[in-house]
Amino acid sequence: MIEFRAVTKCFDGGTVAVDELDLVAQDGEITVFVGPSGCGKTTSLRMVNRMIDPSSGVVAVDGQDVASRPAAELRRGIGYVIQQAGLFPHRSVLDNVATVPRLTGSTRRAARRRAAELLETVGLDPALADRYPAQLSGGQQQRVGVARALAADPPILLMDEPFSAVDPVVRDGLQDELLRLQDELDKTILFVTHDIDEAIRLGDAVAVLRVGGILAQYDPPQRLLAEPADDFVAEFVGKDRGYRGLSFVDSDALPVHDLPLVRLGDQPPCDGWLLAVDAGGRPRGWLEPDSGGGAVTEERLRAGGSLHRSGSPMRGALDAALSSPSGLGVVVDDGGAVVGAVVAEEVLAALRERRPGAA
Amino acid sequence: MLGGIGLYLSSPTNREKVLGLLGEHVYLAILPLLIGLAVALPLGALARRGALLRTGTVQASSVLYTVPSLALFVVMPGILGTSITSPANVVVSLAVYTTALLVRPVVDALDAVPGHVVAAAIAMGYRPARRFVAVELPLAVPVLAAGVRVASVSNISLVSVGALIGIGGLGELFTEGFQLRYPAPIVIGILLTLVLALVVDLLLVGLRRLATPWAHAGVGS
Ligand SMILES: Nc1ncnc2c1ncn2[C@@H]1O[C@H](COP(=O)(O)OP(=O)(O)O)[C@@H](O)[C@H]1O
Ligand SMILES: [Mg+2]
């Protein structure tokens, strides 16, 4: 548990970076600090591992004031990941990851063995172990950064905009990976970002800060979307928050209908919209109504919309329906095979049902 | 001309003397380079602790470098209590020059180490001394190496001046040539000094490459 108790940081020159921050980050959760540039996110994070000392107030880890612990020793028990990964350019990937175990006295051999395990944990090809950081892509560097932070198996992880410098597709992958890792590792994570979508996706709890280091709202993400504390938060959370709020609504009650299917290479059995599937039952695209006879080939298909994985939140169901050329949102199972279809009207009806006061 | 050199070098005594002087020259130039580097590193690191300290140290070092070398050689015995012909005078004087010459490159080289890498090292739990040796110093090598090369050439040429006060090195070939009104030793001295400077420079370039394999690894290899 990480506690900020009335923490203020005023830099020489008078900038108040953090103003009377009171906040508790629970064990085993991802707590996100989000806000515009200069609102004190980095400063808050760095007060946890004593890279910055507060002007007043106390930062405590498991009830103990961090100021009472020797800084270097404290830091070795707290993983830290930053934006450009901050990898040591002069050390191989493996030696970068082995850094903290080496500092805490592991032999070179043991530290490297541990490092090799971690490369696997974060999904990196072991063949990259002997490369220098400059020889990796941005996404790979960030993975190395995460592996390095995890090397000494610290209970706490501080992450300062770790994914902001990579392109959106890679960022998506890294976010997924972090959530998967967190499922396994159960760390107490403080995560800083200026991207509200990232905050909502990753956070168990989200702290929205405004410039001047003032905490505007601290709540679970669904609450942030549903009940922004003030205009600043509402604006920061941004447009589409009604839609984005669907990420937190389960789709279990949504009816799934049968879908007319045709296997690639077969004759179309009827004239309406048909979903073409491959031999494994995975969707390949839509065949328009009245598009004539003859075997169905890839060239005759229209690209499909997004897919809704069975059991995932309502947002995906609505998007699948809205983006499908036929208006039928395709539902697939974990293996990617077609299960059936959902329609937008029923998504809206299901949402209506959930509202207080619904009959 | 070439005949004169051939004749001079045909004498085994002369050959032995030239080799001996070359060895002395190397010693008198390189030892102060190492001492100067060892002093400039902590001094440069210290100078980065504050703006005032930085300007003070950098300016003091550039002023120091403008003191004429002959003057330094001559006053050094008074400071050190050594005899006027002691090689220690040259070694210490040149160490002072090397230090003066290297403080600035050390400061620049440490400035060139990316801030986020240093921040990461602090966050990993490095204490300052180990961080300096294990992270900042290796990353400072590319910029620092340029300064060391300048200092080595400067030392190799300054050692010759020592001959004026009778301290070994290839400069003695100049004094000998002037005294005997005989150009061959002078030409040999000049050529060997040039070759020496070139060889040492090449060695330093090689050393820098060895010390920075990471800076030469191809992308995506
Ligand atoms: N070392 C420092 N000295 C003076 N001001 C600083 C220092 N570090 C940060 N600040 C100021 O404190 C405020 C918060 O900075 P920071 O925590 O880095 O914000 P964020 O990470 O949210 O962008 C900014 O106004 C910034 O300029
Ligand atoms: Mg920041």
Side-chain angles (χ1 to χ4, degrees), chain A residues 47-320:
Chain A
M47 287 192 286
V48 176
N49 69 356
R50 295 199 57 195
M51 289 174 80
I52 295 175
D53 288 320
S55 311
S56 66
V58 168
V59 179
V61 169
D62 295 332
Q64 194 191 7
D65 184 351
V66 292
S68 69
R69 296 184 53 192
E73 182 206 299
L74 173 79
R75 290 170 189 152
R76 289 171 193 175
I78 298 179
Y80 191 79
V81 189
I82 54 178
Q83 187 174 345
Q84 304 97 324
L87 298 179
F88 301 130
H90 62 303
R91 293 204 188 138
S92 71
V93 164
L94 200 65
D95 286 332
N96 260 284
V97 178
T99 302
V100 182
R102 289 290 286 144
L103 281 174
T104 53
S106 292
T107 62
R108 194 177 158 87
R109 233 179 116 113
R112 292 181 133 219
R113 190 164 348 103
R114 169 81 182 136
E117 276 170 30
L118 274 160
L119 289 185
E120 218 167 302
T121 309
V122 300
L124 274 172
D125 183 353
L128 300 178
D130 293 326
R131 290 209 190 161
Y132 290 108
Q135 298 173 298
L136 303 184
S137 71
Q140 288 169 333
Q141 289 184 20
Q142 284 307 333
R143 283 172 196 262
V144 177
V146 173
R148 183 175 66 174
L150 290 172
D153 202 16
I156 294 177
L157 219 51
L158 306 179
M159 308 182 80
D160 194 349
E161 311 218 12
F163 307 148
S164 357
V166 295
D167 67 67
V169 176
V170 174
R171 189 183 315 145
D172 255 20
L174 289 169
Q175 290 169 349
D176 278 342
E177 193 82 5
L178 179 66
L179 290 173
R180 184 188 62 76
L181 267 177
Q182 172 65 352
D183 254 5
E184 254 172 58
L185 302 176
D186 219 24
K187 303 288 181 191
T188 305
I189 299 179
L190 281 192
F191 189 105
V192 161
T193 178
H194 60 259
D195 174 358
I196 184 70
D197 286 314
E198 185 166 68
I200 283 169
R201 173 143 186 226
L202 297 178
D204 295 302
V206 177
V208 182
L209 297 169
R210 69 172 106 218
V211 174
I214 298 161
L215 182 62
Q217 186 168 0
Y218 183 45
D219 268 317
Q222 54 270 46
R223 182 95 187 254
L224 212 62
L225 291 168
E227 298 167 47
D230 56 24
D231 289 349
F232 168 77
V233 178
E235 180 154 349
F236 192 75
V237 167
K239 290 200 284 282
D240 307 328
R241 67 185 165 87
Y243 180 61
R244 294 208 313 252
L246 297 181
S247 301
F248 301 99
V249 179
D250 71 63
S251 61
D252 299 348
L254 193 64
V256 176
H257 303 280
D258 280 341
L259 194 58
L261 299 177
V262 60
R263 207 168 276 254
L264 279 177
D266 288 356
Q267 299 287 329
C270 59
D271 265 351
W273 281 98
L274 282 170
L275 182 68
V277 295
D278 64 14
R282 285 177 293 267
R284 303 298 312 166
W286 288 95
L287 191 69
E288 287 188 24
D290 307 315
S291 52
V296 176
T297 60
E298 294 261 8
E299 295 81 60
R300 296 177 58 193
L301 300 179
R302 273 185 66 174
S306 62
L307 302 173
H308 173 53
R309 200 152 46 76
S310 196
S312 65
M314 204 62 115
R315 179 176 176 167
L318 184 57
D319 194 69

Side-chain angles (χ1 to χ4, degrees), chain A residues 9-18 34-46 52 160-161 192-194 209 211-213:
Chain A
K9 177 64 193 183
C10 183
F11 284 108
D12 307 341
T15 311
V16 178
V18 178
V34 66
S37 176
C39 69
K41 306 181 294 290
T42 297
T43 305
S44 302
L45 206 63
R46 289 186 169 190
I52 295 175
D160 194 349
E161 311 218 12
V192 161
T193 178
H194 60 259
L209 297 169
V211 174

